[in-house]
Amino acid sequence: MSLPKFILGDNTEFPNAIYVIHTEFPRFIINLENDEVEWFEDFDAEDQKELESETENAIKLATDFYDNEVAKYEE
């Protein structure tokens, strides 16, 4: 199965939370309500530097994805 890079998610138990799931390495879910990130990867010391540089960019891309999706609904 081929997955999109980003997927939107929500849950009625957390009505204010808006989730963006990043399906490529490094895989994570970000809650846009509070910017909390949950990683699906295990990182070692070598990965830490790459993770730090990639994290900021990946979160920005996730936020941009959400903004673009919401704009499409508003049209």
mmCIF file of all heavy atoms in Angstrom, residues 27 52 59 63:
data_model
loop_
_atom_site.group_PDB
_atom_site.id
_atom_site.type_symbol
_atom_site.label_atom_id
_atom_site.label_comp_id
_atom_site.label_asym_id
_atom_site.label_seq_id
_atom_site.Cartn_x
_atom_site.Cartn_y
_atom_site.Cartn_z
ATOM 1 N N ARG A 27 9.118 8.955 11.275
ATOM 2 C CA ARG A 27 7.660 8.890 11.429
ATOM 3 C C ARG A 27 7.249 9.464 12.783
ATOM 4 O O ARG A 27 7.869 9.173 13.807
ATOM 5 C CB ARG A 27 7.177 7.447 11.314
ATOM 6 C CG ARG A 27 7.447 6.836 9.956
ATOM 7 C CD ARG A 27 7.120 5.371 9.903
ATOM 8 N NE ARG A 27 7.880 4.661 10.915
ATOM 9 C CZ ARG A 27 7.442 3.599 11.569
ATOM 10 N NH1 ARG A 27 6.248 3.111 11.331
ATOM 11 N NH2 ARG A 27 8.190 3.007 12.482
ATOM 12 N N GLU A 52 17.580 16.351 14.956
ATOM 13 C CA GLU A 52 17.435 17.759 15.315
ATOM 14 C C GLU A 52 17.291 18.634 14.084
ATOM 15 O O GLU A 52 16.463 19.541 14.054
ATOM 16 C CB GLU A 52 18.629 18.205 16.157
ATOM 17 C CG GLU A 52 18.620 17.619 17.550
ATOM 18 C CD GLU A 52 19.899 17.906 18.325
ATOM 19 O OE1 GLU A 52 20.782 18.635 17.800
ATOM 20 O OE2 GLU A 52 20.021 17.394 19.447
ATOM 21 N N ILE A 59 8.223 19.345 10.990
ATOM 22 C CA ILE A 59 7.087 19.963 11.689
ATOM 23 C C ILE A 59 6.538 21.133 10.882
ATOM 24 O O ILE A 59 5.328 21.313 10.782
ATOM 25 C CB ILE A 59 7.483 20.363 13.116
ATOM 26 C CG1 ILE A 59 7.691 19.091 13.945
ATOM 27 C CG2 ILE A 59 6.449 21.286 13.753
ATOM 28 C CD1 ILE A 59 8.261 19.308 15.322
ATOM 29 N N THR A 63 2.712 21.349 9.440
ATOM 30 C CA THR A 63 1.851 22.510 9.664
ATOM 31 C C THR A 63 1.373 23.098 8.341
ATOM 32 O O THR A 63 0.193 23.442 8.192
ATOM 33 C CB THR A 63 2.596 23.567 10.494
ATOM 34 O OG1 THR A 63 3.024 22.965 11.715
ATOM 35 C CG2 THR A 63 1.712 24.761 10.808
#
